[in-house]
Amino acid sequence: MRRKMAAGNWKMNGSVAGLDMISALASAHSDSGCDIVICPPAHLLMSAAKRAGTGPVAVGAQDCHASDKGAHTGDIAAPMIAETGAAYVITGHSERRETYGETDAAVRDKSAAAQGCGLVPIVCIGESLEQREAGEALPVIRAQLENSVPEGSTGATLVVAYEPIWAIGTGKIPTLDQIAEVHTALRADLVARFGPEGDKIRLLYGGSVKPGNAADIFGTKDVDGALVGGASLTADDFSPIIAALTAS
Ligand code: PGA
């Protein structure tokens, strides 16, 4: 049985004052049985991890460098993230793939660096609208999975997030059948590659997850939770999504 996960990606939003949300979520969902993760911008990681303490909310970063240290102005290394008390790091988000030209190989190296210091990477993959309309969604996503995920990954060291690029921040989501089709294919590929461990790796859906559509998405086959952007910025929005996950 895979433990469900609700991960919030704050992107370039949030403030010290906004970390109050961690305490609000911790008291509202102390017994959810789900992993709850907040991924704030890097400057908030240490305060967020302190605030989260040993409670039910974990903290993650939004990116890491593949190297442990060096002349990489503006970047943050995985061991630095681990030192803040964070436990997760998002890798390969489509906004980074698009803006910074991150390739599957770069995402794999970042993810391996994260695993190397005990962080769990949440590896993002997903097709563009053009690829979906051309009928290429599945082969594109499966190739991303193959090439972005490090060898030797296990259920304890990897989370995968399927995020169709055209669903991110747009209010549009795929049909539930489309989500199920992708997650079933990804599950099969993970099992083919990693054996029984492949069945333990969590598969999140991401892209315009809201309180109003969360229950339907969480009821979809092989969906183990969500990576949530806009609706993770306030407890008012994120809390009902966690509640829907708990109830699913
Ligand atoms: P969204 O973002 O929920 O605002 O669509 C999801 C993401 O980019 O992870």
Side-chain angles (χ1 to χ4, degrees):
M1 188 69 179
R2 294 179 295 269
R3 191 172 159 89
K4 293 167 187 166
M5 173 178 284
N9 173 12
W10 282 8
K11 309 190 179 183
M12 202 170 72
N13 300 290
S15 61
V16 173
L19 295 177
D20 286 350
M21 188 179 146
I22 291 175
S23 315
L25 293 179
S27 51
H29 302 284
S30 56
D31 231 358
S32 73
C34 306
D35 286 334
I36 303 167
V37 186
I38 291 288
C39 301
H43 76 295
L44 295 175
L45 284 173
M46 192 168 279
S47 314
K50 278 204 184 106
R51 182 69 74 98
T54 54
V57 179
V59 172
Q62 299 175 13
D63 178 47
C64 68
H65 199 278
S67 302
D68 282 358
K69 61 181 180 191
H72 305 290
T73 303
D75 277 314
I76 186 163
M80 297 170 180
I81 294 168
E83 201 174 37
T84 69
Y88 296 88
V89 56
I90 297 168
T91 55
H93 191 281
S94 60
E95 286 154 15
R96 295 206 60 88
R97 288 179 186 261
E98 279 181 1
T99 310
Y100 300 102
E102 289 186 8
T103 61
D104 288 339
V107 175
R108 185 195 57 223
D109 291 348
K110 288 172 181 235
S111 305
Q115 290 173 334
C117 63
L119 295 172
V120 175
I122 301 172
V123 179
C124 300
I125 55 179
E127 82 284 3
S128 66
L129 187 58
E130 296 69 36
Q131 289 163 335
R132 163 107 3 222
E133 286 176 347
E136 294 165 359
L138 273 186
V140 164
I141 301 157
R142 295 177 68 186
Q144 288 177 335
L145 182 78
E146 170 75 22
N147 298 316
S148 304
V149 164
E151 287 309 326
S153 293
T154 68
T157 65
L158 176 74
V159 176
V160 173
Y162 165 53
E163 298 204 305
I165 297 168
W166 51 274
I168 294 175
T170 59
K172 295 183 198 147
I173 62 165
T175 65
L176 299 178
D177 283 348
Q178 287 171 328
I179 295 174
E181 181 187 37
V182 171
H183 280 238
T184 301
L186 295 177
R187 173 68 57 212
D189 285 359
L190 288 171
V191 170
R193 180 168 169 193
F194 296 115
E197 278 303 321
D199 203 37
K200 297 184 188 156
I201 294 167
R202 268 89 58 90
L203 282 176
L204 311 183
Y205 168 79
S208 294
V209 176
K210 307 286 177 206
N213 60 22
D216 284 345
I217 292 170
F218 296 147
T220 303
K221 188 172 178 303
D222 272 313
V223 173
D224 302 313
L227 181 56
V228 183
S232 73
L233 292 174
T234 65
D236 281 354
D237 283 331
F238 200 34
S239 210
I241 293 173
I242 298 166
L245 186 63
T246 305
S248 69

